[in-house]
Amino acid sequence: MEKKILEPSSDLREMANNNQHIPVKGPKGGLITMPFIIVNEAFEKVASYGLLPNMILYLMRDYHLGLAKGTNIIFFWSAAINFMPLLGAFLSDSYLGRFLTIGFGSIASFLGMVLLWLTTMIPKLKPSPCDILTQRCKSPTAGQTTLLVLSFSLISIGAGGIRPCSLAFGADQVDKRGDPKNERVLERFFNWYYASAAVSVIIALTGIVYIQDHLGWRLGFGVPAILMFFATILFFLASSLYVKQKASKSLFTGFAQVIVVAYKNRKLPLPNGNSDNGLYHHNKDSELVAPTDKLRCLNKACIIRNREHDIGPDGSASNPWNLCTVEQVEELKAVVKVIPMWSTGIMMSINVSQNTFPLLQANSMDRHLSSFQVPAASYAMFVVISLAAWVVIYDRVLLPLASRIRGKPTRLDVKTRMGIGLILSFMAMVVSAVVENIRRKRAIREGFLDNAHAVVGMSAMWLIPQHCLNGLAEAFNGIGQTEFYYSEFPKSMSSIASSLFALGMGVASLLASVILSAVDDLTSRKGKESWVSSNINRGRYDYYYWLLAVMSFVNLLYYLFCSWAYGPCAEQRKKVRDEPNGIREDGKEEGREEGKELSV
């Protein structure tokens, strides 16, 4: 067969003549990068979640901290872990890009875990053991406390770099526009991503916790550090395979610009009406040509004062800190509008964050299953199990069954699910109070009032219902919140939608610390034993749970008001639009809304 020399095509010649870049290497990204990205975050979750459950025991036993102080430190740490992803998302979108943000986060998380592990290896890095005869314990020095806080801070920074970027960075590798198989590939990635996240948390609450309980803190803190080391190395090894998107403008910057420009133009009169009269700046070919009447004070941010000075030759704003678009204004309004609904989920997050008290309860109860003793911190695993189990049953069993019975697609709307979650969270606190009351009475009856380390003759399995209720509450309300934000916000605000729930968890951790400190201060006055005493049998943890239950009930009423004030959400509005002739399922004819006939 005659060999032919391939001549460059005319298109390639033209590209070469125009000095355009001709890609000579194979395409980057694809499913081959998935193991490196998924394993990186999976190991980070195993490491960080594995450190959290037993941390109160480490702080109380090795650092000689009281229950209230140690719990407050953990609350602040949890808040930092939930707040840092917002900062990480901002830096990633605006300056560093996702690859560098994940890389720096991995290194920071590894260094934090190494510092924490060193506190178990070097005796001088933590207080000396308590005197056996006098039972006197030294408090940690300023240097020892600083090192501990530094390790927690680095781990939080690491979470802030990895968690907000891994999902989007992985999607960048497989998101090929125009490919008909694109949706299926993305679906596979998301399935593997969330499956690995769930498995990571379960491993952390079982394997890592078991090592800490049975093999000590040195190995229990050393294993997470080793896992984080391998996660960091693996992530950087695949550097040449990744698709690395450049940083772009962040929505957070856009929000700041709207606020700044609206303040600058605060004395500027608003135009009459909201039609496209050329006074508002908007993107080309945009459907939004004028802002809505809600929160009209923000509309001043997109008013064109001097077209020649404010608008550049390409039609964009000459200075985005002097003129914003209508789209930017409406995006900020969307966030402001959902804030009341978002605030209703904080109380549930406060309830879910009460990890310390169930741990101490389990530690004082019989945890044996035949000859095997379940680690006290592993009972939190039932939160994850119940959450995952309900998602599968709801999506694969209940919805298809209900749709088959009704003869049409059936589902619970997002606001109903959020409300059910708050009810379940309230019930979880009631059950927690009842179980703790029974456990305390049993401890007193067995003569353990002054012995906080004694194990009462009551199975720790009694704690499973409250964990399961908390898991179901998060399945309904937590997932419902995220879906609510995604459906109510424009597509350009997907990153904000995914960050709001984490922000709520961070605020909840801070408020939980405030509540705990207030309860400890108010109930320990005049020499009385605090409700949250380090001695679980002398304290009144049941009263503390009842307080949270009352607050949860009040929050439920607050949610009903906010839900009513918000009005119909996106899926409800779409349902009304799609129903023929404006006739609802109940046979009643739809009327007018805000003076306009509902669209058919």
Side-chain angles (χ1 to χ4, degrees), residues 22 26 75 93-94 136 155 197 218 271 341 419 433 470 510 521 544:
I22 304 175
F75 279 147
D93 291 346
S94 303
R136 290 183 178 179
I155 294 172
R218 292 186 177 183
M341 291 289 288
N470 276 322
L510 294 179
D521 180 63
Y544 180 69

Side-chain angles (χ1 to χ4, degrees), residues 337-345 415 418-419 422 484 552-568:
K337 184 181 178 183
V338 302
I339 285 178
M341 291 289 288
W342 166 80
S343 66
T344 63
K415 290 203 294 185
M418 291 169 65
L422 296 182
F484 176 74
S552 299
F553 181 76
V554 174
N555 180 69
L556 179 60
L557 299 179
Y558 171 61
Y559 170 78
L560 294 175
F561 172 77
C562 291
S563 178
W564 168 81
Y566 189 88

Side-chain angles (χ1 to χ4, degrees), residues 40 100 181 192 203-204 230 527 547:
N40 176 263
L100 286 179
K181 298 181 180 179
W192 278 106
I203 292 175
F230 282 116
L547 174 63

Side-chain angles (χ1 to χ4, degrees), residues 117 120-123 126 211 215-224:
W117 174 65
T120 68
M121 299 293 292
I122 304 176
K126 63 182 178 182
I211 292 173
L215 301 178
W217 299 117
R218 292 186 177 183
L219 197 58
F221 288 170
V223 169

Side-chain angles (χ1 to χ4, degrees), residues 441-503:
K441 287 181 178 178
R442 186 73 173 265
I444 294 175
R445 189 164 62 247
E446 295 177 5
F448 296 142
L449 179 63
D450 295 317
N451 188 355
H453 303 292
V455 176
V456 301
M458 180 178 176
S459 173
M461 292 297 174
W462 282 95
L463 299 175
I464 293 179
Q466 66 196 57
H467 286 301
C468 289
L469 286 171
N470 276 322
L472 291 174
E474 199 163 354
F476 276 96
N477 188 272
I479 296 177
Q481 276 190 66
T482 304
E483 183 180 336
F484 176 74
Y485 304 141
Y486 268 103
S487 62
E488 295 302 300
F489 288 169
K491 290 184 179 180
S492 60
M493 299 178 64
S494 296
S495 59
I496 301 294
S498 61
S499 302
L500 277 179
F501 183 69
L503 177 62

Side-chain angles (χ1 to χ4, degrees), residues 341 348 390-391 394-395 399 410-425 472-484 487 556 559 563 569 571-572:
M341 291 289 288
M348 184 210 68
W390 172 254
V391 169
Y394 175 75
D395 187 60
L399 286 186
T410 302
R411 64 191 296 267
L412 289 173
D413 68 80
V414 63
K415 290 203 294 185
T416 300
R417 278 181 281 143
M418 291 169 65
I420 292 174
L422 296 182
I423 294 174
L424 291 171
S425 182
L472 291 174
E474 199 163 354
F476 276 96
N477 188 272
I479 296 177
Q481 276 190 66
T482 304
E483 183 180 336
F484 176 74
S487 62
L556 179 60
Y559 170 78
S563 178
C569 55
E571 61 179 303
Q572 293 169 331

Side-chain angles (χ1 to χ4, degrees), residues 345-374:
I346 293 177
M347 190 64 226
M348 184 210 68
S349 298
I350 291 175
N351 295 342
V352 173
S353 68
Q354 304 295 325
N355 300 314
T356 300
F357 302 105
L359 173 66
L360 296 180
Q361 287 175 284
N363 217 34
S364 68
M365 300 169 77
D366 182 11
R367 294 177 277 118
H368 283 91
L369 287 177
S370 185
S371 59
F372 176 74
Q373 188 178 37
V374 180

